[in-house]
Amino acid sequence: MNEANRRSRWPNTANLHLLINNQTATRTSRASNHWISASMCGQDAPLERLRVDRQLEEALTHGPDPLHLAEVFGLDEKTAMRYAGSARALLQQTVEHSASPSGKELGQD
């Protein structure tokens, strides 16, 4: 379930976990390992990739602030700084790409 789908289904949930279900949407606990395993069976993206993508999206959406990332996801400071650095680099690439003439990346002919 993507973030937009999640927000439309449970717009007021206080649960910050990546994967929630009908039982956990109204609480702050995580979904059970059994439910997660059954739900993810046969999916293209492993849970680790979804977790990393969600954390990077948060950094891109709310700014590359390591303190915010550490607070929201319970990350240690080094991990939060790494995600913030990656988000900062992606944001900088976006700015450079949009500022380049003819839409080409800078340095390309």
Side-chain angles (χ1 to χ4, degrees):
M1 173 176 299
N2 67 29
E3 177 121 7
N5 221 352
R6 172 188 157 124
R7 289 288 166 217
S8 68
R9 190 167 185 180
W10 297 295
N12 299 316
T13 186
N15 194 324
L16 297 176
H17 287 86
L18 175 63
L19 300 174
I20 60 176
N21 59 25
N22 289 336
Q23 287 77 39
T24 62
T26 58
R27 303 186 313 237
T28 57
S29 60
R30 64 184 188 86
S32 71
N33 289 341
H34 175 69
W35 180 86
I36 291 170
S37 296
S39 298
M40 296 304 293
C41 185
Q43 298 296 318
D44 292 336
L47 286 176
E48 179 65 16
R49 181 174 173 190
L50 292 174
R51 183 185 64 77
V52 168
D53 285 352
R54 174 64 187 99
Q55 291 169 344
L56 184 56
E57 180 184 345
E58 183 74 17
L60 290 170
T61 302
H62 294 293
D65 178 6
L67 292 175
H68 174 77
L69 295 174
E71 179 73 22
V72 170
F73 296 107
L75 302 174
D76 68 52
E77 61 187 57
K78 288 183 181 180
T79 302
M81 289 170 48
R82 192 173 72 243
Y83 280 115
S86 295
R88 200 172 291 112
L90 285 171
L91 289 169
Q92 184 61 36
Q93 285 177 354
T94 302
V95 169
E96 289 173 358
H97 180 72
S98 65
S100 69
S102 74
K104 289 185 178 180
E105 288 189 35
L106 296 177
Q108 290 185 346
D109 292 320

